[in-house]
């Protein structure tokens, strides 16, 4: 399954729900890149500057990274691609790699959220440093202040690219490089578009309807 949508649309949030309900594996290219940056690898060094500027990382680096991850999860019930593909070249490469691996795409779900909501969501976002669970200062607080609901950790982190200026560049990259892939999936009849505004549970109900509808 592919989750598409602008930064802050709720792709990561809904992927967590999908993992919990259906036992799927979430593959987030953003998370993978942040792990590379943290480890100080060559890929991480190349990616950091681009990510901090809100630009996309080159297609070849991303395609190799995701192909390796899909191979590692061959036995999984299914995989949610969160943040990939993001360009036409990535969408075409994905088709080729899935064909080679004998796999296919069941659902492509586009989450529509207006830019004001995106900026509000991104500006209050934080996550657990230990398990990665996502939260928001006002929209999705931890049950106990300062304690992760999922793992009990008291360490949290905020992303370097979650600032107003970078968000504007990320939205521009989405409009110019990612939105053009929507017709690619639409033509094949595999694209479903949902309203990403509403509570997290309401949005998840819309996704569930698509997943369980076939
Ligand atoms: P990435 O990590 O993929 O970031 P993104 O696409 O900008 O998406 P986000 O993670 O910001 O948002 P989201 O939709 O997951 O929202 P979330 O669920 O957290 O990419 C980062 C960078 O890496 C890119 O800029 C690029 O440089 C690089 N990169 C990654 N993949 C790449 C690729 N394929 N090719 C090239 N470069 C790549 O929700 C946001 C907030 O809102 C949270 O606080 C959440 O609690 C809250 N929230 C969620 N849903 C709701 C709701 N329904 N109501 C209220 N609040 C909500």
């Amino acid at each position: 399954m592919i989750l598409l949508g602008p930064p802050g649309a709720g792709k990561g949030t809904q992927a967590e729900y999908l993992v919990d309900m259906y036992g799927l594996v979430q593959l987030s290219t953003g998370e993978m890149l942040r792990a590379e940056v943290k480890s100080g690898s060559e890929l991480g060094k190349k990616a950091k500057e681009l990510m901090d500027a809100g630009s996309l990382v080159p297609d070849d680096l991303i395609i190799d990274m995701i192909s390796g991850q899909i191979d590692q999860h061959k036995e999984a019930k299914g995989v949610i691609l969160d943040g990939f593909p993001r360009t036409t070249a990535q969408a075409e490469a994905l088709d080729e790699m899935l064909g080679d691996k004998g796999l296919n795409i069941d659902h492509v779900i586009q989450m529509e959220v207006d830019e004001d909501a995106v900026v509000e969501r991104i500006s209050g976002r934080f996550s657990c440093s230990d398990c990665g669970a996502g939260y928001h200062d006002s929209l999705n607080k931890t049950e106990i202040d300062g304690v992760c609901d999922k793992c009990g950790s008291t360490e949290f982190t905020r992303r370097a690219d979650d600032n107003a200026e970078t968000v504007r560049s990320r939205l521009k990259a989405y409009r110019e490089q990612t939105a053009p892939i929507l017709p690619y999936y639409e033509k094949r009849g595999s694209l479903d578009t949902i309203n990403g505004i509403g509570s997290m549970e309401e949005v998840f109900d819309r996704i569930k309807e698509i997943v369980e509808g076939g």
Side-chain angles (χ1 to χ4, degrees):
M1 181 187 312
I2 298 173
L3 292 182
L4 290 172
K11 303 180 295 292
T13 302
Q14 295 301 323
E16 276 184 46
Y17 279 75
L18 287 160
V19 168
D20 289 348
M21 175 149 284
Y22 299 109
L24 305 176
V25 170
Q26 175 190 5
L27 295 182
S28 157
T29 43
E31 288 300 326
M32 289 173 206
L33 289 168
R34 282 185 285 281
E36 294 286 345
V37 170
K38 206 170 164 189
S39 76
S41 68
E42 280 311 308
L43 168 56
K45 284 180 198 150
K46 276 188 205 154
K48 186 177 182 334
E49 212 174 302
L50 293 161
M51 293 170 80
D52 286 351
S55 308
L56 296 185
V57 172
D59 289 331
D60 53 342
L61 299 181
I62 296 287
I63 291 162
D64 285 349
M65 192 174 74
I66 200 85
S67 176
Q69 284 291 319
I70 292 174
D71 286 341
Q72 277 184 33
H73 293 94
K74 265 192 191 136
E75 307 304 321
K77 253 168 91 177
V79 160
I80 306 154
L81 297 176
D82 161 11
F84 177 89
R86 243 174 161 106
T87 61
T88 305
Q90 290 182 20
E92 288 168 355
L94 177 64
D95 277 344
E96 201 181 315
M97 93 177 66
L98 292 181
D100 290 347
K101 297 178 200 299
L103 299 169
N104 58 289
I105 301 166
D106 292 323
H107 301 284
V108 182
I109 301 176
Q110 180 206 5
M111 301 173 64
E112 275 188 334
V113 177
D114 61 76
E115 295 198 0
D116 288 345
V118 157
V119 172
E120 186 196 10
R121 286 182 183 185
I122 286 184
S123 50
R125 171 167 57 185
F126 64 98
S127 63
C128 173
S129 306
D130 289 332
C131 73
Y135 299 100
H136 189 280
D137 290 331
S138 56
L139 303 168
N140 181 22
K141 296 190 202 176
T142 54
E143 274 169 34
I144 303 168
D145 200 22
V147 181
C148 175
D149 297 351
K150 283 211 168 162
C151 75
S153 169
T154 52
E155 300 293 323
F156 295 92
T157 177
R158 288 182 193 262
R159 279 170 45 177
D161 60 348
D162 278 354
N163 59 73
E165 199 187 326
T166 310
V167 169
R168 272 193 290 276
S169 307
R170 285 159 60 196
L171 282 166
K172 186 166 179 278
Y174 180 78
R175 280 193 301 267
E176 292 177 0
Q177 291 167 275
T178 307
I181 70 178
L182 296 169
Y184 181 80
Y185 290 114
E186 203 166 21
K187 265 188 223 138
R188 297 198 328 205
S190 50
L191 182 71
D192 282 293
T193 298
I194 61 154
N195 180 2
I197 297 287
S199 72
M200 291 171 225
E201 291 75 18
E202 282 166 347
V203 175
F204 186 54
D205 283 343
R206 293 171 199 147
I207 294 181
K208 246 181 6 193
E209 217 171 286
I210 294 167
V211 173
E212 293 179 8

